[in-house]
Amino acid sequence: MATGFVAHVIDGELVESVRGNRFESVDPWTRAPWTEVALGDRTDVDRAVRAARAAADQGPWPRMGHTERGRLLHRLADLIVANGDLLARTDTTDMGRPVTSTVGRDVPRAAANFRFFADHARLTPAEALPSDHGHHAYTRYEPAGVVAAIAPWNLPLMLSSWKIAPALAWGNTVVLKPAEQSPASATLLARLALEAGIPPGVLNVVHGPGADGVGQALTEHPGIDRITFTGESATGRAVSTAAARHHVPVSLELGGKNAALVFADADLDVAVRTAAAAAFGNAGQMCLSGSRIYVERPVHGEFVERLHAAGRAMTAGDPGDPATEIGPLASAAHHRKVTDHLTRARADGCRVYGGDGSGWLVRPTVLTDVPRHAPVQTREVFGPVATVTPFDHEEDAVRLANDTPFGLSATVCTTDLSRAHRVAARLRAGTVWVNCFFVRDLRAPFGGVGASGVGREGGLFSRDFFTEPKTVVIDIAGC
Ligand code: NAD
């Protein structure tokens, strides 16, 4: 039975929906509801956007300057760390991500996002343009206004903070819609923002579903100035269409079907460790998952055996147990999607290693003999499922890796430095990792090519998205 209640946060208040509706959030480990959540609709979205608009147009936040804003964002980061256990356990209960990851990675990363963007906004210079014609020109990076941030369920706190931190640091106000499968940490985060001294109306949270619900209402609202969206590629298309009605710029971080290339010259220990982390981490529920692995033929057999063994060695079970590495999939619907993929893969003639599990748990799964056009090879499964396919030479490897409409990330395992650079340059992806995975530098562009996204965020790319750059030209010739 659900015991708690997760409210919207609008204009600094924890509120029920105007119509008083609620929904239940389900703990994927117990498969039972664990909390009730305010179920918003267009009316609640409108209230939140109005609050964010008022805070943007009349409130202190956009006007207080980078130093003071940065101080408050650092305070928020401090509070995230101080409340790390609660935030981490909330995400673990909401979506099944192992607590070692929510405590050890997501909370520090969320805090780091706020610290980084606070400092980045304060320290980034703007251009002054010398002119030959008696004029001086410079650029002002002004807040864009009200940002709609729509987040997925797979890394709730971390991905919300990745959107909110740069938006706030550049002086915007935000309406956040977390995924309906993992809503609770967003309300906690907004409460901490208020506790840090961030003014009411600057960070608002509205809960509810996306299509025909809160998400859609937010993207269609005329009071929005930017939309930053992370989710499925198909949803990204709907978001773009809605945004186009009001000429609102969108940043889309979408799905992936990311390749990992293992060359025969690779250190196989590194390759197996990297591939296992990329394919099975967070039970494969990561846009960046390396789910299509291509291995140079001489080491293919050994690699398959070792990857399967690495998957088998991962502890799967209760995500609240610190020993657990693989938790359950996040929802009944998602569990059905992943297991349907495995059923279809068997019917398509794939050899399946692993893939067992009870409840919504699916243990790491390795597939070989995968037909090129099998859905498991072409579509994002978003589960702990990796296909492993042999290749014969570098050209072949690059062609296979690029044989997809997605282009989010890729991993290359090799000890040949020239090959690493050569192959990285030819892969159609927003990020290429060589002999590593998931290493992020917040100054670097992050985003995807093709069906994996539109635009980049990170460092100056975030500034350019979350601001309206303005050119000021001054006559200094005195005539
Ligand atoms: P989703 O597209 O189903 O939902 C994402 C968010 O959009 C949710 O909050 C949802 O309620 C909302 N939404 C749904 N329909 C909407 C609509 N019509 N208008 C507005 N909002 C709407 O995605 P998901 O299943 O929550 O997340 C998994 C997906 O996210 C995967 O495809 C994954 O690859 C992708 N993802 C991408 C990145 C990245 O950085 N590129 C990161 C994490 C996840």
Side-chain angles (χ1 to χ4, degrees):
M1 203 190 78
T3 50
F5 174 61
V6 175
H8 306 302
V9 182
I10 299 178
D11 208 11
E13 304 288 336
L14 294 166
V15 291
E16 287 264 13
S17 296
V18 170
R19 291 185 216 294
N21 294 331
R22 295 181 173 196
F23 67 102
E24 289 178 327
S25 182
V26 172
D27 172 343
W29 178 242
T30 61
R31 288 174 283 146
W34 75 281
T35 187
E36 288 196 318
V37 185
L39 171 57
D41 63 16
R42 267 179 203 278
T43 320
D44 304 287
V45 168
D46 190 54
R47 277 168 80 198
V49 174
R50 282 174 196 278
R53 179 91 267 154
D57 290 350
Q58 295 134 35
W61 187 250
R63 290 156 199 90
M64 67 172 55
H66 289 300
T67 305
E68 178 60 4
R69 263 203 310 267
R71 191 180 67 76
L72 296 178
L73 291 172
H74 272 280
R75 247 167 78 184
L76 173 55
D78 293 341
L79 287 171
I80 288 171
V81 173
N83 292 273
D85 208 51
L86 174 63
L87 287 161
R89 287 195 176 274
T90 299
D91 273 358
T92 293
T93 310
D94 239 1
M95 65 72 63
R97 180 164 163 78
V99 72
T100 32
S101 302
T102 53
V103 169
R105 288 171 183 227
D106 301 353
V107 166
R109 268 290 301 279
N113 283 338
F114 283 103
R115 294 194 201 288
F116 170 82
F117 284 108
D119 294 345
H120 188 261
R122 186 169 55 83
L123 297 172
T124 302
E127 302 84 0
L129 307 166
S131 153
D132 286 342
H133 307 293
H135 294 90
H136 176 68
Y138 63 93
T139 313
R140 288 173 52 80
Y141 289 90
E142 299 180 350
V146 177
V147 173
I150 301 180
W153 49 260
N154 61 321
L155 299 164
L157 175 69
M158 212 261 269
L159 286 175
S160 296
S161 67
W162 163 248
K163 298 183 166 309
I164 296 166
L168 294 187
W170 287 101
N172 299 284
T173 62
V174 172
V175 180
L176 168 67
K177 194 211 92 63
E180 55 275 32
Q181 298 86 344
S182 57
S185 62
T187 288
L188 289 176
L189 182 64
R191 286 171 59 177
L192 294 178
L194 291 166
E195 193 181 329
I198 293 173
V202 171
L203 175 56
N204 307 277
V205 176
V206 186
H207 297 289
D212 300 321
V214 167
Q216 192 175 327
L218 196 52
T219 57
E220 291 174 353
H221 199 291
I224 294 295
D225 299 298
R226 290 289 184 278
I227 300 173
T228 171
F229 170 81
T230 301
E232 284 192 6
S233 301
T235 316
R237 203 171 295 127
V239 170
S240 282
T241 306
R245 281 174 50 184
H246 300 292
H247 305 292
V248 175
V250 281
S251 166
L252 301 178
E253 297 188 343
L254 307 177
K257 189 69 188 173
N258 310 296
L261 303 182
V262 178
F263 288 91
D265 63 42
D267 177 329
L268 267 203
D269 289 340
V270 172
V272 169
R273 199 168 55 237
T274 305
F280 306 140
N282 204 26
Q285 301 168 118
M286 283 203 292
C287 54
L288 299 165
S289 278
S291 55
R292 282 186 302 137
I293 307 177
Y294 297 101
V295 183
E296 202 164 357
R297 203 172 295 275
V299 294
H300 178 263
E302 181 183 352
F303 180 86
V304 169
E305 261 175 43
R306 290 181 61 178
L307 182 66
H308 175 41
R312 257 200 334 256
M314 293 174 97
T315 308
D318 178 354
D321 181 340
T324 296
E325 294 165 278
I326 307 277
L329 297 174
S331 66
H334 190 54
H335 177 257
R336 199 160 42 246
K337 174 183 160 183
V338 173
T339 49
D340 283 353
H341 262 294
L342 294 181
T343 305
R344 172 75 194 264
R346 286 189 182 90
D348 285 339
C350 302
R351 290 188 65 176
V352 179
Y353 302 81
D356 51 319
S358 56
W360 297 344
L361 205 63
V362 173
R363 282 178 211 277
T365 315
V366 177
L367 303 181
T368 62
D369 306 296
V370 183
R372 189 173 148 219
H373 296 295
V376 76
Q377 185 73 315
T378 57
R379 299 198 194 145
E380 186 183 45
V381 176
F382 224 56
V385 178
T387 63
V388 187
T389 306
F391 70 82
D392 289 307
H393 46 73
E394 191 176 301
E395 194 61 34
D396 198 18
V398 170
R399 185 184 53 76
L400 288 165
N402 288 340
D403 184 22
T404 173
F406 295 104
L408 190 57
S409 68
T411 308
V412 181
C413 292
T414 179
T415 51
D416 178 337
L417 185 59
S418 306
R419 168 174 275 156
H421 287 293
R422 208 165 48 229
V423 171
R426 294 186 61 198
L427 291 174
R428 193 172 159 274
T431 299
V432 177
W433 284 292
V434 178
N435 298 325
C436 59
F437 173 68
F438 209 50
V439 181
R440 292 284 309 279
D441 182 325
L442 298 181
R443 295 167 299 183
F446 179 80
V449 178
S452 287
V454 175
R456 297 289 184 274
E457 294 190 33
L460 289 174
F461 298 87
S462 293
R463 177 194 67 182
D464 293 351
F465 180 69
F466 287 113
T467 59
E468 285 291 358
K470 176 187 283 173
T471 302
V472 180
V473 182
I474 303 180
D475 184 328
I476 53 171
C479 49

